[in-house]
Amino acid sequence: MEQWQLAIEKFLEDYKDKITTNNITSAEYMLSTCSNLTEIPFELNLADNTNMERLFSNCTYLNPIPQVNMNITKHIAFNNIFYACESMAEIPEWLIVLLEENAKTTNGSWAFGPWNGLFNMCNSLREIPDRVMKAMVNPNPSGNYYGIAYSNPFKQCICLNKLVNVNADNCVLTSNQFSAFFQNLQRAKDITFATNEDGTPKVVKWKTQT
């Protein structure tokens, strides 16, 4: 661990009951690898559409995840926010709301960004709420991709009991878009894809198809 990360941990421990936040404009790697943190007893108030990539990555013992407040007005990436948050036992409500709002947007640089490594190595997760799976849609299939759309979102979630209604609706895929999607789901007994209202499977086209 770097000295600055140790310093952040000490600062948070010493002043945790005195800290407030407002209009944070960049949260990228903000608390990454503060691996000894067990709690953050204050809310993170972010500016609209703030980049949160790897915000809590490698916060091994952090549980529960603190409240994050932010408005979304354009499609943004949530890549690896919880990478290796091995103690996170459930997905926070604020993230579900943001994913739902993100799924409604059609503007921004990425056609589909938020799932790259999002829950990779979240070893304590046992369930993925249906609302999360329903939010996994691509509102702008003709736009540009940032990385691989479905790469690693649940990789090594070794305690997941099931993964149902995987939603690839309205999405045009290029090669390897499902890279490591289901890798190391050791306990999962049920993995299913979403269906249409009539019960027929949803069909996802490759980019070269018409």
Side-chain angles (χ1 to χ4, degrees):
M1 183 180 294
E2 299 289 340
Q3 289 298 316
W4 67 269
Q5 291 161 330
L6 291 171
I8 288 177
E9 289 183 0
K10 187 176 187 309
F11 177 82
L12 292 176
E13 178 62 29
D14 291 345
Y15 297 98
K16 59 186 180 183
D17 58 341
K18 301 178 178 65
I19 296 174
T20 58
T21 65
N22 185 45
N23 202 38
I24 297 172
T25 57
S26 177
E28 186 177 5
Y29 288 82
M30 182 176 174
L31 296 166
S32 178
T33 319
C34 289
S35 55
N36 293 319
L37 280 179
T38 58
E39 65 171 337
I40 300 175
F42 53 87
E43 297 183 359
L44 298 178
N45 297 299
L46 310 184
D48 293 358
N49 309 312
T50 296
N51 183 357
M52 294 192 293
E53 182 172 355
R54 292 188 178 271
L55 171 56
F56 300 112
S57 67
N58 291 293
C59 287
T60 308
Y61 299 110
L62 184 61
N63 187 49
I65 301 297
Q67 175 70 28
V68 174
N69 302 309
M70 180 178 71
N71 294 320
I72 289 181
T73 60
K74 66 179 182 180
H75 205 64
I76 64 174
F78 291 65
N79 303 322
N80 295 296
I81 293 177
F82 302 112
Y83 175 84
C85 284
E86 298 184 33
S87 299
M88 184 174 72
E90 60 182 28
I91 297 173
E93 174 68 16
W94 63 260
L95 177 73
I96 299 174
V97 172
L98 289 182
L99 288 173
E100 289 174 335
E101 291 301 310
N102 206 43
K104 298 174 185 177
T105 62
T106 57
N107 59 329
S109 301
W110 304 288
F112 197 97
W115 290 86
N116 296 353
L118 183 54
F119 304 113
N120 190 351
M121 293 183 64
C122 288
N123 297 338
S124 297
L125 280 180
R126 294 183 179 274
E127 294 185 5
I128 304 297
D130 192 50
R131 287 170 59 199
V132 172
M133 304 311 295
K134 288 180 178 178
M136 192 173 68
V137 295
N138 177 12
N140 183 19
S142 62
N144 298 317
Y145 286 110
Y146 177 71
I148 300 175
Y150 294 88
S151 178
N152 306 323
F154 307 109
K155 179 181 178 181
Q156 298 196 79
C157 288
I158 59 176
C159 285
L160 273 185
N161 293 317
K162 59 184 178 180
L163 192 60
V164 298
N165 292 327
V166 177
N167 193 350
D169 192 22
N170 191 31
C171 188
V172 179
L173 303 181
T174 58
S175 61
N176 296 323
Q177 293 295 309
F178 279 91
S179 172
F181 193 98
F182 307 108
Q183 184 174 333
N184 251 356
L185 300 187
Q186 299 177 14
R187 292 184 51 169
K189 296 181 179 180
D190 190 6
I191 298 177
T192 62
F193 281 79
T195 61
N196 296 303
E197 290 184 2
D198 62 1
T200 58
K202 292 185 176 181
V203 177
V204 180
K205 292 184 177 181
W206 292 96
K207 189 175 182 180
T208 53
Q209 291 180 315
T210 58

